[in-house]
Amino acid sequence: EFASSPGYSVTKGDVGGRTGADSFCSNWSFKIPKNLNSCSNIRALISISSTDEVRDMPSNYSLPSDKPVFNERGHIIADNLTHLVSGNNLYNKMVGVQELFNSDNTYYWTGTSAGGELHSNNCSGFSSNNGNSQMHLENRFYFGETQPTSCNNSLSLICLCF
């Protein structure tokens, strides 16, 4: 099993590519519930390039493709990574604790289309504040592109712990 969790800190689109995004995510790993925090790997759920798309994460980073995905509240949201990024409905919202208690809508960088493919809006591989990137709205019952936003905006990342 592996957990997904939104970070509460925000960053502009120039997060530093894969290395910067994963480092950003590793800084909040202590916020994952203890029963799900047996992970040794933390990755940002974003597409950086045509060779580093969300759908490539199992082969690129040994992300389990056959394990259920939990949200940070401990609820199963998808059967596996394919289900998570399919664009189909999830079992539960990817809602975080912040949204639950504050009724806030939090937006997350993805640079990803449904199916886990790189979207042309991706802040130049998340290395620039120029242009646009696709974002995900936390309170949705699916993961995928929702709408573009300026790379100069400050959004959160969805992070995976496995």
Side-chain angles (χ1 to χ4, degrees), residues 1-2 64-70 76-86 89-92:
E1 59 191 62
F2 63 100
S65 59
D66 60 344
K67 304 287 185 191
V69 183
F70 294 82
I76 293 177
I77 57 174
D79 292 325
N80 51 44
L81 180 68
T82 302
H83 178 201
L84 177 67
V85 302
S86 68
N89 283 345
L90 302 175
Y91 299 129
N92 289 288

Side-chain angles (χ1 to χ4, degrees), residues 15 17-18 20-26 28 42-48 52 54 57 61 109 157-162:
V15 69
R18 170 61 61 196
D22 290 344
S23 176
F24 185 90
C25 283
S26 69
W28 60 260
I42 298 171
R43 298 285 178 183
L45 188 65
I46 57 172
S47 293
I48 301 291
D52 190 358
V54 167
M57 293 181 81
Y61 306 109
W109 297 116
L157 290 170
I158 296 174
C159 305
L160 298 175
C161 169
F162 59 99

Side-chain angles (χ1 to χ4, degrees), residues 2-4 15 18 26 28 35 40 55 60-61 67 71-72 84 89 100 104 118 120 131-133 139-140 144 146:
F2 63 100
S4 67
V15 69
R18 170 61 61 196
S26 69
W28 60 260
N35 63 323
S40 57
R55 67 181 179 176
N60 287 352
Y61 306 109
K67 304 287 185 191
N71 64 17
E72 69 175 348
L84 177 67
N89 283 345
L100 181 67
D104 292 339
L118 177 70
S120 59
N132 292 311
S133 176
N139 69 1
R140 301 282 192 249
T146 56

